[in-house]
Structure formats: C-alpha cells, structure tokens
Amino acid sequence: MEITTFDEFHKRILPAFDQFLTDRLTTEIKQPTLRDAMLYSVNSGGKRVRPMLLLATVYSSGVAQADLPKYFEVAGAIELIHTYSLIHDDLPEMDNDDYRRGQLTSHKKFGTGPAVLAGDGLLTHAFYWLAKSELNTSKRMAAVRILSHNAGPMGMVAGQMTDITKEDKQLNIDELTTLHKQKTADLITAAITIGASCADHSLSKNLVEYAEKVGLAFQLKDDLDDADDGEDVDKNTFPNLIGKKETEEKLRNLVKDALNAVLREEKFDKKLLVSFLDYFKK
Ligand code: GRG
C-alpha cells in the first residue's frame, strides 16, 4: 500500500530503522564504555528527522518500501553525525548543558572524556557505514562527498565555530543566516540530496532549494520554540535579532518557498516531502 504522508512513513519505517541502529552498534563496537555511551545518545529519544527525510526522498524517487533497508546504513550515517554534533554541542566548553531530550547529557552521565570519545566514535563510524553500504561505488562516493562537505569544516563544523566564537557579538542578518545555514541546514540538505542521489533521481535545483529552505526553517522553528520556553535570551537567534513576529513571518515564507520548489520537481512523487512541511505548523 502506498504511503502518502510523512507521519505515516515515519511510523512505518522507524521501528526497523531503530532496530538496525541498535543491532549494528551493539555488534560492531566492542569497547564496552564506548558502546554504552554511543548507544545511550543514539537511543535517547531523537526524532530521527534527518534519516527519515533521506529515506522519504529515496521512496519518493520510486524505490519500493521493501527495498528501503538497503539504504539504512546511509540514513544511519546521518543520524550518527547528528548525534555526535549534539554530544559535542552539550559539552562544558560549548553549550554546557546538563540535559538533552529530558535525559542527562553524555558528559553528565559518562564524564567529559568519554563523551568526547563517544562523539568521535559516532563521527568516524558514520563513514564506516557509508563505505560498507550496499550501494554501488559511485553512489557511496557521492554520499561520502556530500556528507563530509556539509557536516565538516565547510558546513556544520564551520557554523558551530562561528557560533561559539561570536557568542558575545551581535551578528547581522546575513551573518546569522550563514551561521544557521551551516550549523543546521547543511546536514538536513545533505539528508535530502544524498537520498536523491542514492535513488538515481537526477538532482535538480528544485530539490536542493526545498532542502535548503527546510533546513533553515528547522532552525527558525527551534529558535521560536526556545523563545517561547524563555531560553536563549542573550544568544544570536532570529527572535532576538528581528523579533518573534518577523521570525514567524520569515518561517512562513521559507515553508512557502520550500513547497513551491518541491512542487516544481519532475518525475518525483511529491506527497511525502509536501506533507513533511506540516512539521512547521505544529
Ligand atoms: C559540535 C560540530 C558541532 C556541531 C553542533 C547541531 C549543532 C551543531 C548544535 C545544536 C544546536 C541546536 C539545538 C540547533 C537547533 C536545531 C537543531 C539541530 C535541533 C536539534 O535537532 P532535532 O530537533 O533533535 O532533530 P532530536 O533531539 O530530535 O534528534
């Protein structure tokens, strides 16, 4: 039966994907403290938005549901990178958070050294999974190239560096947009573009535009949610820079642009990526 909404897709695919993550990390990581720390953060209640976007893009490109497990290593690699970035972001020398997703952060549970190493392990292991995946060589190389470009010093790591070094300086709109694009949007863009390229969908300007708009919208929604909770009062965020109302307007425009971009995409079933946009209305 065809899956027509992102929520339904998430519900149907997630159990097997979660099992895959746990089984593979449990069998592959032999060092017990490292294994425990890596599994603790991977299984601490993340929404799995990035891997599900990757798999939804694969499915929307015409791959059958039964064949999606062939893409679990690639989708898993994105989740490992995302998890490492959160562990390191929470460290005392970065954001210094005690809790994430309602649970103790990695360094609070295991200590700072083990938390750094759990992050290092997840980052490196992501590329092991990409290299070992069932996809053909050119698809694997494309995935390695896109992920290292968007998650590394040309993408997410650069954004994080700007974030921690410009903490005391008020950034202007362009600087803040670049920071958010790198820190948050680039990994989300990678999920969608890797999904398309793995599924032989010719990567168009439209899909890249959808991915970039969704990536930035993701950060704006997170900033608005945190502002509602009274967090981030003196941080570089859009609500602090341009106000809540204007940030909401900006978010609506990003979602509208993302919708228009994906609707222009040819030879692609648009239903799942259109319905993902409901995420920004919640
Ligand atoms: C340490 C190199 C390095 C990078 C850290 C991602 C990041 C860069 C920092 C996190 C800061 C943050 C909370 C940004 C807001 C957007 C975002 C990435 C939210 C968390 O993503 P979700 O909502 O998280 O997908 P879950 O918990 O569902 O996995």
Side-chain angles (χ1 to χ4, degrees), residues 64-102:
Q65 186 186 340
D67 290 327
L68 290 178
K70 288 186 195 149
Y71 301 82
F72 278 6
E73 280 156 314
V74 182
I78 297 258
E79 188 66 8
L80 298 190
I81 299 255
H82 168 61
T83 310
Y84 120 76
S85 80
L86 297 181
I87 294 176
H88 282 191
D89 184 60
D90 290 334
L91 288 168
E93 291 299 326
M94 297 236 192
D95 233 18
N96 193 20
D97 281 314
D98 291 354
Y99 290 91
R100 174 167 294 275
R101 303 161 173 158

Side-chain angles (χ1 to χ4, degrees), residues 44-50 79 81-90 94-95 100-101 151 156-161 163 180 182-184 187-188 215 218-220 222-223 226 279:
S44 66
K47 297 182 289 297
R48 314 272 195 235
V49 168
R50 295 156 194 77
E79 188 66 8
I81 299 255
H82 168 61
T83 310
Y84 120 76
S85 80
L86 297 181
I87 294 176
H88 282 191
D89 184 60
D90 290 334
M94 297 236 192
D95 233 18
R100 174 167 294 275
R101 303 161 173 158
M156 183 177 73
V157 175
Q160 181 75 354
M161 184 62 104
D163 203 16
H180 285 342
Q182 293 179 324
K183 194 179 85 164
T184 303
L187 192 59
I188 292 174
F218 202 80
Q219 175 71 52
L220 259 58
D222 197 71
D223 282 353
D226 285 350
Y279 174 80

